[in-house]
Amino acid sequence: MEKAREILVIGGSRYFGKRLIARLLAAGDRVTVLNRGSSAPPSGVTHLIADRDDEHSMLGALGSRAFDTVVDQVCYTPRQAAIARRVFAGRTRRYVMTSTVEVYEYEDSIALVREDAVDTTTVPVDLELPWGDPEFLESHYGEGKRQAESVFATDPAFPFTAVRVAHVLGGTDDFTGRLAHYADRIRTGEPIAVPVDNQPATYIHVEEIADFLAWTVGQNFTGPVNAASHGLLGTEELCEAVAVHVPDGRTVLRPVEVGEVSPLSFTHSYGMSNARATRLGFAFGEVRGWLPGVVAETVG
């Protein structure tokens, strides 16, 4: 009988993290969840409570435990990555960090961007930036992820994979309110602010990214990998899908030169190539295949 895998998930208390945990448990894995204790983990897991920003807290919670794979759902800064790198050196055979399409925030390409567009081994790391300031972190989300990847990639303490996740949609527990933003404005006819040169993006369904992360746990590849459904969507097409569920609604897009724009509207393309993951053996769905259902459950 094959020995059950020992998997640690850091974070994972909501959205696609809890779906990942459910998949790992269903596969027969022994799952440990480490978080701050602000929310209870699913039944069937071992629960460790620690502050991931505090190295001593992490070491105390982990004790002598070791893992086949660590899945880090909540690594946002190079400081957090540096702590994790020290803490898990010698404790895991593989480290999977959930990263983001926003690491490509400085790459503006008409073609779908590939992983090698951002080589994080060349990204400078600045641990002295105010990463503990929530406002700074929010406005430097992509940069925080880039530098976190760099910490793991430039001097690897273990085999490392960064899953660069497209914008996630789906599920009645989507806490972002992005599609609801469009529905509210379409319902009232209030203008929807978008950049003058509004660009499309790739997306992934919440169940699909959970599937992808669970699949990744069972693989042995390293390096960055993009995770996105096939197909690009722009703001106008998203609004059209939402408007189907808003009787007598009116879609008014208002291009703005400067200032805040609506969620899921972008000044440059966030289109990612999923060719590497496809070659490795994962089969993605088509974004236009699942979008109507997502809009119906979220807005309808």
Side-chain angles (χ1 to χ4, degrees):
M1 184 182 223
E2 189 174 337
K3 182 176 177 289
R5 299 177 299 187
E6 296 284 351
I7 311 297
L8 173 68
V9 179
I10 305 176
S13 62
R14 61 179 182 174
Y15 210 32
F16 59 86
K18 65 183 183 182
R19 290 168 169 82
L20 165 64
I21 291 168
R23 283 158 170 76
L24 296 174
L25 290 172
D29 296 319
R30 287 202 288 261
V31 180
T32 300
V33 173
L34 185 149
N35 60 29
R36 293 172 299 177
S38 56
S39 58
S43 60
V45 308
T46 299
H47 186 202
L48 305 178
I49 297 175
D51 179 356
R52 70 156 310 144
D53 292 307
D54 183 333
E55 188 165 347
H56 294 294
S57 175
M58 292 273 282
L59 289 169
L62 288 165
S64 61
R65 292 176 176 86
F67 305 94
D68 295 302
T69 305
V70 173
V71 183
D72 193 341
Q73 289 281 86
V74 288
C75 187
Y76 300 114
T77 76
R79 287 183 194 168
Q80 292 175 334
I83 289 172
R85 185 188 173 281
R86 291 192 296 268
V87 166
F88 290 102
R91 286 182 186 269
T92 186
R93 298 176 183 175
R94 189 154 177 264
Y95 202 97
V96 178
M97 172 188 159
T98 301
S99 190
T100 174
V101 62
E102 293 187 39
V103 301
Y104 299 117
E105 62 185 329
Y106 306 128
E107 279 61 46
D108 194 4
S109 171
I110 296 174
L112 296 179
V113 68
R114 302 183 312 181
E115 290 85 354
D116 58 7
V118 173
D119 177 2
T120 47
T121 63
T122 66
V123 171
V125 171
D126 188 347
L127 298 176
E128 301 308 313
L129 290 172
W131 296 112
D133 179 346
E135 288 188 12
F136 179 86
L137 183 57
E138 183 177 0
S139 62
H140 293 79
Y141 177 71
E143 184 60 26
K145 288 287 192 179
R146 284 162 64 97
Q147 292 194 28
E149 283 192 37
S150 181
V151 169
F152 289 121
T154 51
D155 187 15
F158 29 65
F160 169 68
T161 297
V163 178
R164 295 173 178 169
V165 182
H167 300 288
V168 182
L169 293 176
T172 55
D173 56 335
D174 182 351
F175 58 91
T176 64
R178 294 170 298 188
L179 291 179
H181 169 92
Y182 290 124
D184 290 344
R185 278 154 179 75
I186 292 169
R187 194 172 288 115
T188 61
E190 184 179 349
I192 297 167
V194 296
V196 171
D197 186 17
N198 193 21
Q199 296 295 317
T202 40
Y203 293 85
I204 192 164
H205 192 281
V206 63
E207 303 292 346
E208 188 171 38
I209 187 55
D211 286 340
F212 185 82
L213 288 167
W215 172 81
T216 299
V217 167
Q219 306 300 306
N220 58 14
F221 63 84
T222 58
V225 62
N226 294 337
S229 298
H230 298 294
L232 287 163
L233 292 175
T235 306
E236 187 170 0
E237 190 169 354
L238 280 168
C239 288
E240 288 172 357
V242 171
V244 170
H245 298 275
V246 183
D248 303 319
R250 191 163 61 96
T251 303
V252 181
L253 298 182
R254 178 171 60 86
V256 295
E257 293 277 359
V258 293
E260 189 173 349
V261 295
S262 296
L264 308 181
S265 59
F266 308 102
T267 56
H268 74 269
S269 175
Y270 277 109
M272 290 196 301
S273 168
N274 60 20
R276 184 183 187 220
T278 300
R279 286 195 306 271
L280 288 166
F282 190 85
F284 291 99
E286 297 282 343
V287 66
R288 289 175 181 81
W290 55 254
L291 180 64
V294 163
V295 174
E297 72 181 358
T298 306
V299 178

Tab-separated table of all heavy atoms in Angstrom, residues 16 22 28 48 78 87 131 150 162 165 172 227 229 231-232 255 258 289:
chain	number	residue	atom	x	y	z
A	16	PHE	N	-10.209	29.323	-2.863
A	16	PHE	CA	-9.702	28.098	-3.481
A	16	PHE	C	-8.759	27.333	-2.559
A	16	PHE	O	-8.479	26.158	-2.790
A	16	PHE	CB	-9.073	28.356	-4.855
A	16	PHE	CG	-7.910	29.305	-4.899
A	16	PHE	CD1	-6.627	28.866	-4.659
A	16	PHE	CD2	-8.099	30.633	-5.258
A	16	PHE	CE1	-5.548	29.727	-4.740
A	16	PHE	CE2	-7.030	31.511	-5.353
A	16	PHE	CZ	-5.739	31.049	-5.081
A	22	ALA	N	-9.700	20.161	0.530
A	22	ALA	CA	-10.695	19.103	0.337
A	22	ALA	C	-10.212	18.072	-0.680
A	22	ALA	O	-10.407	16.860	-0.495
A	22	ALA	CB	-12.022	19.704	-0.111
A	28	GLY	N	-6.463	11.060	-0.047
A	28	GLY	CA	-5.843	10.233	0.970
A	28	GLY	C	-4.592	10.817	1.589
A	28	GLY	O	-3.875	10.128	2.330
A	48	LEU	N	-2.130	23.685	12.970
A	48	LEU	CA	-1.063	24.363	13.686
A	48	LEU	C	-1.325	25.872	13.637
A	48	LEU	O	-1.678	26.402	12.580
A	48	LEU	CB	0.305	24.066	13.067
A	48	LEU	CG	0.694	22.587	12.921
A	48	LEU	CD1	2.059	22.482	12.255
A	48	LEU	CD2	0.692	21.890	14.270
A	78	PRO	N	8.860	39.403	0.383
A	78	PRO	CA	10.156	38.723	0.477
A	78	PRO	C	10.553	38.414	1.918
A	78	PRO	O	11.268	37.441	2.170
A	78	PRO	CB	11.120	39.715	-0.177
A	78	PRO	CG	10.453	41.044	-0.079
A	78	PRO	CD	8.990	40.754	-0.201
A	87	VAL	N	12.950	28.341	7.663
A	87	VAL	CA	12.179	27.410	8.483
A	87	VAL	C	12.049	26.041	7.821
A	87	VAL	O	12.144	25.000	8.494
A	87	VAL	CB	10.784	28.000	8.786
A	87	VAL	CG1	9.840	26.936	9.348
A	87	VAL	CG2	10.901	29.170	9.758
A	131	TRP	N	7.139	46.432	4.061
A	131	TRP	CA	6.233	45.332	3.719
A	131	TRP	C	5.181	45.094	4.785
A	131	TRP	O	4.147	44.488	4.524
A	131	TRP	CB	7.039	44.046	3.483
A	131	TRP	CG	7.956	44.125	2.311
A	131	TRP	CD1	9.328	44.128	2.335
A	131	TRP	CD2	7.593	44.239	0.933
A	131	TRP	NE1	9.833	44.227	1.051
A	131	TRP	CE2	8.790	44.295	0.179
A	131	TRP	CE3	6.376	44.299	0.256
A	131	TRP	CZ2	8.807	44.398	-1.211
A	131	TRP	CZ3	6.384	44.402	-1.132
A	131	TRP	CH2	7.578	44.452	-1.854
A	150	SER	N	11.684	35.530	-5.895
A	150	SER	CA	13.127	35.679	-6.032
A	150	SER	C	13.876	35.074	-4.854
A	150	SER	O	14.919	34.427	-5.021
A	150	SER	CB	13.484	37.164	-6.186
A	150	SER	OG	14.875	37.336	-6.350
A	162	ALA	N	6.622	28.123	-8.429
A	162	ALA	CA	5.719	29.262	-8.238
A	162	ALA	C	4.568	29.126	-9.227
A	162	ALA	O	4.793	29.146	-10.446
A	162	ALA	CB	6.447	30.581	-8.463
A	165	VAL	N	-1.014	32.512	-10.803
A	165	VAL	CA	-2.452	32.279	-10.969
A	165	VAL	C	-3.103	33.459	-11.683
A	165	VAL	O	-2.903	34.619	-11.309
A	165	VAL	CB	-3.115	32.063	-9.593
A	165	VAL	CG1	-4.601	31.782	-9.753
A	165	VAL	CG2	-2.419	30.942	-8.829
A	172	THR	N	-19.946	30.970	-4.889
A	172	THR	CA	-20.773	31.921	-4.148
A	172	THR	C	-20.009	32.545	-2.985
A	172	THR	O	-20.477	33.509	-2.380
A	172	THR	CB	-22.031	31.219	-3.604
A	172	THR	OG1	-21.630	30.083	-2.810
A	172	THR	CG2	-22.920	30.729	-4.738
A	227	ALA	N	-1.002	29.455	-14.593
A	227	ALA	CA	-2.259	28.699	-14.472
A	227	ALA	C	-3.401	29.597	-14.919
A	227	ALA	O	-3.757	30.552	-14.225
A	227	ALA	CB	-2.472	28.233	-13.040
A	229	SER	N	-7.177	29.528	-17.599
A	229	SER	CA	-8.047	28.908	-18.608
A	229	SER	C	-7.687	29.434	-19.982
A	229	SER	O	-7.069	30.494	-20.120
A	229	SER	CB	-9.513	29.232	-18.297
A	229	SER	OG	-9.909	28.722	-17.050
A	231	GLY	N	-8.248	31.359	-23.331
A	231	GLY	CA	-9.065	32.472	-23.789
A	231	GLY	C	-8.858	33.740	-22.984
A	231	GLY	O	-8.562	33.697	-21.788
A	232	LEU	N	-9.013	34.872	-23.678
A	232	LEU	CA	-8.901	36.196	-23.075
A	232	LEU	C	-10.282	36.825	-22.950
A	232	LEU	O	-11.141	36.615	-23.809
A	232	LEU	CB	-8.029	37.106	-23.943
A	232	LEU	CG	-6.524	36.864	-23.952
A	232	LEU	CD1	-5.903	37.555	-25.159
A	232	LEU	CD2	-5.889	37.385	-22.678
A	255	PRO	N	-14.348	55.676	-20.340
A	255	PRO	CA	-12.877	55.677	-20.359
A	255	PRO	C	-12.329	56.872	-19.583
A	255	PRO	O	-12.834	57.987	-19.695
A	255	PRO	CB	-12.545	55.799	-21.853
A	255	PRO	CG	-13.799	55.401	-22.573
A	255	PRO	CD	-14.926	55.834	-21.688
A	258	VAL	N	-6.901	59.223	-16.099
A	258	VAL	CA	-6.238	59.027	-14.808
A	258	VAL	C	-7.307	58.745	-13.754
A	258	VAL	O	-8.483	59.038	-13.962
A	258	VAL	CB	-5.415	60.268	-14.385
A	258	VAL	CG1	-4.237	60.477	-15.319
A	258	VAL	CG2	-6.289	61.503	-14.317
A	289	GLY	N	-16.502	28.856	-21.714
A	289	GLY	CA	-17.339	27.716	-21.358
A	289	GLY	C	-17.888	27.818	-19.953
A	289	GLY	O	-19.028	27.425	-19.691
